Amino acid sequence: WEPTPSGMEERESLRLFAQSLCDDLHMPCLDGREAFNEALLEAGTSLYFISEPVWDYHFTSEGHRLYSEWLQKVLPTLHITK
């Protein structure tokens, strides 16, 4: 994935596909983008995704930390029944 207009469209398409799957399965779809967007605005740079040698959407160690902290907040609020 490249941070270009076509890459953004591809990423949004994948997000909508994942949301559709979750909806079809009647399960919550966890989307941590807001947490990353807030952290990016606060830091002024993205420390959360691999950027070398080419831009990559995989988490750095800081990205994993941020996502795990977000999950710790979100998971207890879910009301999942069998």
Side-chain angles (χ1 to χ4, degrees):
W1 183 80
E2 293 291 326
T4 62
S6 63
M8 296 293 284
E9 290 173 13
E10 178 185 344
R11 191 170 186 188
E12 180 64 7
S13 177
L14 290 171
R15 186 193 69 76
L16 292 173
F17 176 71
Q19 182 64 58
S20 176
L21 285 176
C22 291
D23 291 345
D24 289 348
L25 295 169
H26 306 285
M27 59 184 276
C29 190
L30 302 178
D31 184 350
R33 288 178 304 156
E34 186 175 320
F36 282 93
N37 289 340
E38 289 174 6
L40 174 61
L41 288 173
E42 188 176 304
T45 184
S46 180
L47 305 172
Y48 309 105
F49 296 96
I50 297 171
S51 61
E52 296 295 332
V54 295
W55 201 91
D56 190 344
Y57 63 87
H58 291 90
F59 292 155
T60 61
S61 58
E62 276 299 305
H64 282 285
R65 181 196 56 75
L66 178 66
Y67 192 66
S68 69
E69 289 174 357
W70 177 78
L71 283 174
Q72 288 174 1
K73 293 176 187 173
V74 171
L75 289 177
T77 68
L78 298 178
H79 303 285
I80 300 174
T81 59
K82 292 184 180 183

